[in-house]
Structures are given as structure tokens and as C-alpha cells.
Amino acid sequence: LMRRKGRMPPYSRECPRLLLHHLKPAGLLFSLRVRDSSGAILATGLFPHDAETVYFWGGSSWQDGRDLNPNDFLQWSAIRLASERGLKAYNMCGPGRFKRGFGGDLLELRRWHKSYSLPARWARRGYEMYFRAWVRLAARFTPSVFPPRPTA
């Protein structure tokens, strides 16, 4: 989806590596892959969790394997693993048409920031405007930010 829209992930390549490095050894991360019958990876996902909630941090899949619904299987696998561990909640981290198919309740997150000075309020608002403009420009002028899929 991101490649098709010409977008980049909102984090560096180092972020997933840090999740794997710190949370996987502690048993606080489900790092899942879905493969086809030939062993090719169709989808991947990272699902950090604590003692009660599992979170969908991020995932990706190849367009040419979508007819096999690997993303659905990825999500259901995470739900099954969380259930087996006794986790009580699954936070898919935001709305989306795909996410609606799994049921559950959408809880709106409210964020609150208190700035005690006028310059701090202006700076926060300026940064929000800058970031939104940067995301729009990056999506518009970055034709392909992902390397081509390796062929077997």
C-alpha cells in the first residue's frame, strides 16, 4: 500500500531492529511471517505486547500474494498467540477499512498537550503544520522508496 501510494514508513529502518533487539529476548514481541507453499514470504508483522495488551506496531505484504489473504492470517495469528498468552486486549493502533473486518470497538485516542508559554504553543502548532506538509510532499515527490522485490 505504501509503495503504491509513493509513501515512506514514518520511522527509520532502525526502529524495527530496536524492537527485535530489546523486546524479542524479553518475550514481549510477536514477530510473525506468513509464507506461501513454496516458502516465499507474503506478509510480516511486529506485535509488541505487555501483560494485558498486544499492539499492531506495523506490517507489510507483497501485492502479488494478496489473493491468498496473508494479512488476515497474520492478524488472526497474532490474536491467537495473544489469547494463548492470556492477553485481554488487542490494539490495532488506529482505524482503517481492513481493521474493521476483525470486529471490536474503535476507541478514539485523545492527546493533550499543555504549553505554558505562547512561544511554545506557536512552536507546537508550527511543527504540526511543517510535519503535515512534509508528509504530503514526500508522498508526492518520492516515486519509489522501496527496493524492488527479489525474484527467486
Side-chain angles (χ1 to χ4, degrees):
L1 180 66
M2 293 183 87
R3 176 185 283 171
R4 191 176 41 183
K5 291 185 175 186
R7 293 190 179 166
M8 297 182 305
Y11 48 82
S12 72
R13 289 178 181 241
E14 188 63 18
C15 288
R17 289 183 185 126
L18 288 169
L19 282 172
L20 286 164
H21 178 74
H22 292 286
L23 297 181
K24 189 76 171 170
L28 297 173
L29 179 71
F30 302 135
S31 55
L32 305 178
R33 290 183 190 152
V34 176
R35 296 178 184 265
D36 67 9
S37 59
S38 70
I41 296 173
L42 300 176
T44 61
L46 293 175
F47 301 85
H49 60 88
D50 54 25
E52 292 189 14
T53 304
V54 62
Y55 302 87
F56 178 43
W57 185 83
S60 63
S61 62
W62 293 109
Q63 186 71 29
D64 55 354
R66 296 199 55 189
D67 57 326
L68 298 173
N69 299 313
N71 293 312
D72 291 354
F73 187 69
L74 186 75
Q75 295 295 325
W76 285 115
S77 296
I79 291 168
R80 180 183 50 81
L81 286 169
S83 178
E84 289 171 0
R85 289 241 180 134
L87 305 181
K88 296 179 172 83
Y90 180 26
N91 185 339
M92 293 183 98
C93 299
R97 186 175 42 189
F98 170 76
K99 295 173 182 178
R100 272 186 254 148
F102 293 91
D105 298 320
L106 178 62
L107 303 176
E108 186 175 333
L109 294 177
R110 301 202 184 259
R111 295 178 190 237
W112 183 76
H113 301 280
K114 176 69 176 171
S115 299
Y116 291 97
S117 69
L118 189 58
R121 283 193 292 270
W122 289 345
R124 178 173 290 284
R125 180 68 181 136
Y127 179 75
E128 286 176 23
M129 292 170 58
Y130 162 78
F131 184 76
R132 287 184 182 146
W134 182 86
V135 168
R136 281 194 307 270
L137 284 173
R140 191 171 176 195
F141 294 109
T142 309
S144 178
V145 295
F146 297 98
R149 182 175 183 178
T151 56

